Amino acid sequence: MPGIKASMKKVAIVGGGVAGMGAAQRLVGAGYRVTLFEYLPRLGGDCFGVDVQLAGRGLVRVDAGVSDFNPDTFVRVKGLLDELGLPYRPIVQDASFMTPDGESLYYFRNGELKVDWPPHAAARFMGDITRFNRECVEVLEGHDYADWTLGRYLEERGYSNELGAFYAFPRAMGCFPMPNDDPANYLVRSLVSFWRMHGIVGRKGPATRMCVSG
C-alpha cells in the first residue's frame, strides 16, 4: 500500500529520554524523517549526571537520575550503546540503611549484606531477605496474585515485621513507577516485575548493573 507507507515517512516522537532517542535512532536508520520534541533543554530524560566538587579530589560525576541498566534484561539498550560505541561499567551498589535518628541498621558492601543487630535477630533478618529475593518471583506466575498487595504478600508468607519495615517497604518506595502511597498497598506483581527487570530479585542472584561511563 504505497500511499500509507508514504504518509508514514514523517514521524514525531515526544520525549527525549533513552526510549525516545532509541526509537528516533532506529526510525532514522529505517529511512524515516523524525522530529523529536523534548521539554527540557537537554536530552536524556531521567538519565543524567551532575558535577560535584570533592575536597582534595576535584570534580566527580554523580548519577542524579536513573541511569543504570541490567544488561541481561535491557537487551536493546545494551545493543544501542554497543552500536554507538559508548563505554559502560558496573555501578557501585554499596548502600547503608539507618533510622531517622542515625542508628545503623544494615549495609551492603561488595554485594555482601552486613546487619548491625544481635546475632539471632540478624540471622532471621538476613534469612528473610534471601528467601524474599529468591521466592517473590512466584507472584509473576499465573493470575493468583493479581490483586495482592505487598503487605498482604509479606503477611501471608510469614515474613517478619522487620523485613517489611526495614527492607521491603523502603526499597519499594524507591521504585519510581510506583504510586504515591503506603508501600504496603503497592500491587506486589508490579513491584516484583520491576525488581526482576533490574536484576534485584530472582533465583539467579543480583545482576551486575551497568551505567554509561561519565
Side-chain angles (χ1 to χ4, degrees):
M1 302 178 69
I4 293 180
K5 185 176 181 180
S7 67
M8 293 176 61
K9 279 294 185 181
K10 298 173 74 172
V11 178
I13 295 176
V14 178
V18 66
M21 290 190 292
Q25 193 263 358
R26 287 288 184 266
L27 288 168
V28 169
Y32 289 86
R33 182 179 177 184
V34 178
T35 302
L36 190 150
F37 294 90
E38 170 57 49
Y39 173 76
L40 296 173
R42 60 166 177 80
L43 296 176
D46 288 329
C47 299
F48 67 99
V50 295
D51 290 327
V52 175
Q53 178 71 52
L54 295 182
R57 293 179 53 190
L59 285 175
V60 294
R61 194 75 170 165
V62 176
D63 180 17
V66 187
S67 304
D68 68 281
F69 66 97
N70 173 10
D72 293 333
T73 52
F74 287 58
V75 177
R76 292 187 178 181
V77 171
K78 180 180 181 300
L80 176 62
L81 297 177
D82 289 341
E83 183 177 334
L84 297 176
L86 294 175
Y88 45 85
R89 57 176 174 76
I91 66 170
V92 176
Q93 300 190 58
D94 291 352
S96 298
F97 297 81
M98 61 186 64
T99 63
D101 60 5
E103 179 187 357
S104 176
L105 293 173
Y106 62 95
Y107 57 93
F108 292 92
R109 289 294 181 271
N110 300 317
E112 187 175 355
L113 172 63
K114 302 289 187 180
V115 182
D116 294 328
W117 297 357
H120 177 74
R124 181 182 181 186
F125 184 65
M126 294 169 69
D128 273 352
I129 291 178
T130 300
R131 179 165 74 94
F132 177 80
N133 288 347
R134 183 182 66 247
E135 296 181 358
C136 69
V137 291
E138 67 178 338
V139 304
L140 304 177
E141 302 169 2
H143 299 284
D144 294 343
Y145 301 92
D147 61 349
W148 281 41
T149 63
L150 175 60
R152 178 184 176 186
Y153 179 80
L154 296 180
E155 182 178 359
E156 296 269 356
R157 289 293 178 268
Y159 288 103
S160 64
N161 292 333
E162 287 77 12
L163 181 81
F166 300 135
Y167 181 79
F169 295 159
R171 194 156 207 172
M173 293 174 70
C175 297
F176 60 87
M178 296 299 108
N180 184 20
D181 194 6
D182 185 331
N185 297 330
Y186 293 171
L187 290 177
V188 69
R189 290 189 68 182
S190 298
L191 187 62
V192 171
S193 178
F194 179 85
W195 279 337
R196 187 173 70 169
M197 179 179 67
H198 283 277
I200 295 171
V201 300
R203 300 182 188 280
K204 293 183 179 180
T208 299
R209 294 159 66 184
M210 313 291 286
C211 69
V212 175
S213 298

